[in-house]
Amino acid sequence: MAEESNVSKPGLFEKGGKLGFLHSTADAFETFLRVPGTVTRRGAHIRDAIDLKRVMIIVVLALVPAALFGMWNVGYQTSVATGAGWGFLQMFWFGFLKVLPLYLVSYIVGLAIEFISSQIRNEEVNEGYLVSGMLIPLIVPVDVPLWMLALAVAFAVIIGKELFGGTGMNIWNPALLARAFLFFSYPSKMSGSEVWINLNRGTAVDGFTGATPLSYAFDGADGLSKLDGAGFDFWSLFAGFVPGSVGETSVIAILIGAVILLWTGVASWKIMLSSVAGGLLVGWLGTAFGVTDIPAYYQLVLGGFAFGTVFMATDPVTSAQTETGKWIYGFLVGALTVTVRLFNPGYAEGMMLTILMMNTLAPLIDHCVVSRAVSKRAKRV
Amino acid sequence: MSNTIDLKKGLDIPIKGAAARKVVKTVVPDVAALKPSDFKGLVPRLLVREGDSVLAGSPVMCDKRNPEILITSPVSGTVHQVLRGEKRKLLAVLIKADGKNEAVDFGKRKVAPLTADDVRELLLKSGLWAGLVQRPYGVMADPAVKPKAIFISAFDTAPLAADFDFALGDQAGHVQTGINALAKLTGGGVHVSLNVENYSGSPFHKIEGAALHIIRGRHPAGNVGVQISHISPIKKGETVWTVSLTILAAIGKLFDTGRCDLSRKVAVTGPAAENPAYVEAFPGMPMSAVSEFCKKDCDVRYISGNVLTGENVGADGYLGFFDNQVTLIGEGREKELLGWAKPFRPKLFSTSHCYFSWLTPKKVYDMDTNLHGGPRAFVATKCFADVTPMEIFPIYLIKACLAGDIDKMEQFGIYEVLPEDLALCDYVDPSKNDIQAIISNGIDLMIKEMA
């Protein structure tokens, strides 16, 4: 009898149980609610309280200010464009209703694929998508059709991440990959001056163009006066009262996120700092050689520079892993982004493709850094 | 006098249960176990049978490949039981102590006139040779090798580690004899590292005939491997030996008294230990001898060694040959509701600022063995370098080990590390990988491929 009680039946969701094939999913919900009672088996007997769930939730938290501001700004832009004259809450509520479906699509599609893949790989579900899913709605125009978004999310998660083995194995930032997919597949919904502001089925007031500040700033060498002419001064760019992707406009909201990420040490300050340095340097060279009259510091508040630097370039998986590599990687992200702005007026937003390119090059940078260190090691006495 | 070696990286884990500097008990030998697994590289051949009587210092096992390396009994008595596992693998030899503690007399020797061969022969005969560790790989020292140098760490920075100044302070004379003896086995001299904090107060700072180094830093600054990498890194083809201060004292005692006496002060420590303190004990001591230290109504894990590198031996296990510490710690099987999402978890410590424990740097924590998460792929990897004060890229070394790439492992410094040197990576990893196991597998692969 005693033996029988030892061989207990596997639980409903355990391996061998009736719904055993769903154990990754069941496990994900279980560990989401309760930290598992697993004890150390090998190696160090005690472990730090930190886990990936905590790391990821910090990043999600850091994105909240940008997301909230983005919702308000969606309403604000619509209100201004249509001359509706809404109040604060009305603007926010309008934006909230517009952005919520983006979030639903992003999380439902992304997490479903993530769960299925984990199930296939027989692993625990990784929390990485919590962040990607939070990022994606913030870097698309608010009016992107939901089916396109769903397609882009599926592409990014399957091709960009799961094929490589899931979070931690991917080469490219999944959120940016989703945006790149949209950009190349449906350019009419991702660029130009019609996509950034929802007109609430109404008509725009006279003189409304809907173009982003970036498109004024790099339209010829007199960008600054064009920006001013369109009513975009430094303050409005810094605060984010401008059209653009949902979460990218407010540098203030992004800076709050940056403080959280740096305070907790989740993101690398080296990457952020060197990216800013790279952007400023090339921006300064641009003005010094008369390519543009946009002051270098404007580069930091225009377009997706701040958002990309703080939330995208610092992704620990796809950025450089070595400390020296992080300086080089960050600097190149900033410098190349501004270079694209200066010399490619056709599509001035260089942040997305720059980061994707630097993601691709990050292993090379690391390889060089590590090889140097290895040969130095070999020579030491 | 050499300069201070300043190590910036590292981590002292604030765990509760440091042993008070007093001996509260002398463990009377009842049963002692000799475990072949304590000696890396040993292929054991049994030299005794159940029922044979042995003295302290009588051979019990030898190495099949190098039969002159003997493992000897720590106590006198009779061979009680030979424990075997699957495929008749020798797990342990249990010796029932007779309480007389009679020892084989190897004869007192003055070290000065001895030759290297004399020293080697005596160490081999007494069984203390097995206490010498050879790097790379951390295996038993090969008697045919003349090492580049011999390294000794005179302090231990591991969590709750025994304080050598207290545990071995009265043995400083034996330690000196041991150094004099070992110096004959190497051309490169003996190196002893001391902690900057009590450098002048340490009974070991007057040691002669060895190069003294002063180290400043948090754990793993006391690990001899970390010290070697800053004093004279191991290059390909080089061999160095290390010996723990505990074994060194025993070696000195062997020459001074003619007896192989491995008894030592063992620190009984840990959050689950009531009134943690030292006991006078010997290697192979059963854990039941310290079970009285356990807190009541607590599911306790018995670790021979410290919480980072020790072995979970269980309540009926035995103290390891090299260990001078027992850590008692509660099993953390409790499931914490929404633990990771709570803003504050005041009972837990984290090096990461994602929690707030860094605001209370003086606090010590009642830690348990909970993993605090589930295994994931590597995501955040900077934390490894932050706790590894060596000139290596831990994450690259770890990945080379996982890939089984010999060339890469060599380039990234596999010769310089043992799992214990990267033990803190185990602790800090948010992805909960078992880094020490990965490194250990890598080392095993190196031994196999390079043999």
Side-chain angles (χ1 to χ4, degrees):
Chain A
M1 290 308 272
E3 274 168 30
E4 256 176 58
S5 61
N6 279 337
V7 192
S8 63
K9 265 192 173 174
L12 187 60
F13 289 112
E14 283 170 27
K15 277 175 204 170
K18 230 178 195 174
L19 295 175
F21 65 96
L22 283 177
H23 76 90
S24 284
T25 310
D27 185 73
F29 283 110
E30 163 78 16
T31 60
F32 192 84
L33 282 176
R34 301 194 289 177
V35 171
T38 332
V39 294
T40 51
R41 219 164 40 82
R42 292 186 300 179
H45 298 272
I46 51 170
R47 300 297 171 101
D48 198 285
I50 190 79
D51 67 347
L52 276 194
K53 281 192 178 67
R54 183 71 174 194
V55 174
M56 298 298 176
I57 206 72
I58 294 283
V59 185
V60 170
L61 211 65
L63 280 162
V64 166
L68 291 179
F69 182 89
M71 288 173 186
W72 172 81
N73 192 42
V74 165
Y76 171 75
Q77 294 299 333
T78 305
S79 169
V80 170
T82 58
W86 287 338
F88 173 81
L89 279 180
Q90 220 171 349
M91 291 178 193
F92 183 80
W93 183 244
F94 179 81
F96 177 75
L97 290 183
K98 287 288 161 202
V99 177
L100 187 66
L102 301 182
Y103 268 114
L104 288 178
V105 168
S106 163
Y107 272 122
I108 291 171
V109 175
L111 284 179
I113 297 171
E114 188 85 28
F115 273 73
I116 294 168
S117 315
S118 301
Q119 212 84 77
I120 293 171
R121 282 201 305 269
N122 229 341
E123 284 174 1
E124 288 188 32
V125 178
N126 197 303
E127 297 79 10
Y129 193 76
L130 291 182
V131 172
S132 305
M134 185 78 184
L135 281 168
I136 289 171
L138 298 184
I139 55 172
V140 294
V142 66
D143 269 348
V144 66
L146 293 180
W147 65 269
M148 283 185 196
L149 187 66
L151 216 56
V153 167
F155 173 84
V157 177
I158 296 174
I159 309 288
K161 203 158 78 166
E162 302 306 342
L163 279 191
F164 290 96
T167 303
M169 312 284 191
N170 48 316
I171 300 178
W172 298 291
N173 184 314
L176 279 177
L177 215 54
R179 192 181 199 278
F181 178 86
L182 287 172
F183 178 74
F184 288 110
S185 309
Y186 312 104
S188 64
K189 296 287 178 193
M190 288 297 289
S191 52
S193 54
E194 274 87 61
V195 302
W196 305 104
I197 298 172
N198 183 293
L199 291 180
N200 199 19
R201 299 205 185 87
T203 47
V205 294
D206 285 346
F208 168 78
T209 63
T212 61
L214 208 56
S215 57
Y216 292 103
F218 299 100
D219 186 15
D222 55 345
L224 193 58
S225 49
K226 283 185 182 154
L227 261 185
D228 279 340
F232 299 128
D233 57 358
F234 181 80
W235 166 247
S236 66
L237 291 168
F238 186 69
F241 309 135
V242 296
S245 294
V246 175
E248 71 172 12
T249 58
S250 171
V251 178
I252 294 176
I254 293 165
L255 279 178
I256 296 173
V259 167
I260 295 176
L261 290 184
L262 294 178
W263 181 276
T264 54
V266 168
S268 164
W269 60 272
K270 289 173 186 164
I271 292 178
M272 287 194 204
L273 186 66
S274 58
S275 171
V276 167
L280 284 177
L281 180 73
V282 176
W284 175 77
L285 287 176
T287 48
F289 287 97
V291 182
T292 178
D293 64 346
I294 301 278
Y297 61 90
Y298 262 67
Q299 304 289 356
L300 307 182
V301 297
L302 278 166
F305 190 96
F307 195 87
T309 295
V310 171
F311 295 112
M312 301 291 201
T314 53
D315 172 3
V317 176
T318 56
S319 63
Q321 309 270 309
T322 53
E323 297 309 300
T324 318
K326 282 173 186 168
W327 287 113
I328 301 169
Y329 166 90
F331 184 85
L332 287 176
V333 166
L336 287 175
T337 301
V338 177
T339 309
V340 170
R341 286 181 179 176
L342 295 180
F343 297 106
N344 182 18
Y347 182 64
E349 183 50 285
M351 202 64 193
M352 169 184 80
L353 290 176
T354 302
I355 295 178
L356 286 176
M357 186 173 96
M358 291 314 298
N359 284 168
T360 317
L361 293 183
L364 182 67
I365 296 172
D366 282 336
H367 177 78
C368 295
V369 171
V370 170
S371 302
R372 249 183 78 96
V374 165
S375 60
K376 213 175 106 194
R377 268 177 70 87
K379 282 187 207 120
R380 79 189 164 170
V381 274
Chain B
M1 186 65 53
S2 71
N3 294 330
T4 304
I5 298 170
D6 217 339
L7 304 178
K8 299 267 184 264
K9 298 169 172 179
L11 169 69
D12 286 330
I13 299 173
I15 180 170
K16 210 182 257 181
R21 288 168 65 114
K22 58 180 182 198
V23 176
V24 293
K25 179 183 176 184
T26 302
V27 175
V28 183
D30 167 27
V31 175
L34 273 174
K35 292 180 286 182
S37 58
D38 283 347
F39 309 93
K40 190 168 173 64
L42 175 74
V43 184
R45 176 189 288 155
L46 205 53
L47 300 175
V48 291
R49 271 188 236 145
E50 288 178 12
D52 285 3
S53 58
V54 289
L55 300 177
S58 308
V60 175
M61 288 178 261
C62 72
D63 184 31
K64 266 187 191 162
R65 287 174 296 198
N66 230 334
E68 45 183 357
I69 301 181
L70 301 174
I71 311 290
T72 56
S73 170
V75 293
S76 66
T78 50
V79 178
H80 173 58
Q81 202 181 0
V82 176
L83 293 177
R84 289 182 185 276
E86 275 173 40
K87 296 186 186 166
R88 291 186 44 78
K89 185 186 171 190
L90 184 58
L91 297 181
V93 179
L94 302 186
I95 294 158
K96 195 157 189 80
D98 55 12
K100 294 181 205 146
N101 212 10
E102 289 170 288
V104 179
D105 188 9
F106 295 100
K108 265 191 214 178
R109 309 277 183 96
K110 279 257 178 291
V111 172
L114 297 182
T115 63
D117 286 334
D118 296 336
V119 171
R120 189 177 302 123
E121 195 199 319
L122 187 58
L123 287 178
L124 284 165
K125 224 164 58 179
S126 66
L128 287 175
W129 187 271
L132 301 178
V133 176
Q134 178 171 311
R135 288 189 181 228
Y137 312 140
V139 293
M140 281 194 311
D142 180 354
V145 163
K146 188 168 187 183
K148 184 176 86 164
I150 297 177
F151 294 88
I152 297 147
S153 174
F155 66 108
D156 194 345
T157 46
L160 306 177
D163 180 353
F164 281 151
D165 292 354
F166 172 70
L168 293 165
D170 54 349
Q171 317 245 344
H174 295 316
V175 167
Q176 181 64 59
T177 311
I179 287 173
N180 296 345
L182 289 184
K184 300 196 178 266
L185 298 177
T186 170
V190 179
H191 297 261
V192 178
S193 304
L194 295 160
N195 191 351
V196 73
E197 271 171 28
N198 62 347
Y199 163 66
S200 53
S202 163
F204 307 112
H205 84 281
K206 292 200 190 92
I207 276 170
E208 289 165 7
L212 291 186
H213 304 273
I214 304 164
I215 315 271
R216 183 201 312 274
R218 291 166 288 174
H219 188 63
N223 278 16
V224 70
V226 172
Q227 296 162 359
I228 295 171
S229 82
H230 289 273
I231 295 167
S232 170
I234 306 167
K235 283 180 283 192
K236 189 179 182 178
E238 289 178 342
T239 310
V240 306
W241 290 349
T242 68
V243 58
S244 75
L245 208 59
T246 313
I247 303 289
L248 184 66
I251 290 174
K253 225 184 277 180
L254 172 68
F255 286 90
D256 287 341
T257 67
R259 292 164 61 114
C260 173
D261 177 8
L262 284 161
S263 65
R264 56 188 73 159
K265 287 193 189 82
V266 173
V268 182
T269 63
E274 200 93 61
N275 302 323
Y278 289 79
V279 297
E280 196 71 56
F282 50 92
M285 158 194 91
M287 286 293 148
S288 55
V290 296
S291 60
E292 67 205 54
F293 283 91
C294 285
K295 281 186 182 155
K296 303 284 172 287
D297 56 78
C298 183
D299 184 8
V300 175
R301 179 180 290 195
Y302 288 73
I303 300 166
S304 172
N306 65 61
V307 279
L308 290 177
T309 59
E311 187 192 352
N312 176 7
V313 292
D316 47 6
Y318 304 91
L319 186 71
F321 181 82
F322 293 94
D323 296 328
N324 63 346
Q325 180 185 8
V326 173
T327 308
L328 304 172
I329 185 167
E331 295 283 10
R333 294 219 169 81
E334 210 168 288
K335 297 184 176 185
E336 191 184 359
L337 193 68
L338 282 178
W340 58 275
K342 283 183 193 162
F344 301 100
R345 290 167 93 181
K347 285 187 181 153
L348 295 183
F349 171 74
S350 176
T351 50
S352 160
H353 288 196
C354 294
Y355 289 102
F356 294 92
S357 57
W358 60 281
L359 292 170
T360 51
K362 290 261 152 63
K363 191 172 168 185
V364 288
Y365 295 82
D366 185 356
M367 299 185 178
D368 61 30
T369 62
N370 192 292
L371 196 56
H372 299 305
R376 298 287 184 271
F378 293 112
V379 172
T381 51
K382 179 177 176 287
C383 53
F384 296 153
D386 288 344
V387 294
T388 312
M390 300 171 85
E391 257 186 75
I392 58 171
F393 291 98
I395 186 65
Y396 285 88
L397 177 59
I398 292 162
K399 286 185 176 171
C401 288
L402 280 173
D405 186 333
I406 304 278
D407 290 339
K408 286 268 158 62
M409 279 154 71
E410 201 176 287
Q411 286 174 6
F412 294 138
I414 192 77
Y415 297 131
E416 290 190 49
V417 300
L418 289 188
E420 61 180 34
D421 300 324
L422 293 170
L424 278 169
C425 296
D426 261 0
Y427 176 78
V428 295
D429 185 10
S431 296
K432 312 295 175 191
N433 290 289
D434 292 318
I435 312 284
Q436 289 189 84
I438 295 170
I439 298 291
S440 174
N441 290 342
I443 287 175
D444 288 346
L445 184 69
M446 289 299 289
I447 294 174
K448 205 172 120 208
E449 297 288 320
M450 306 302 267

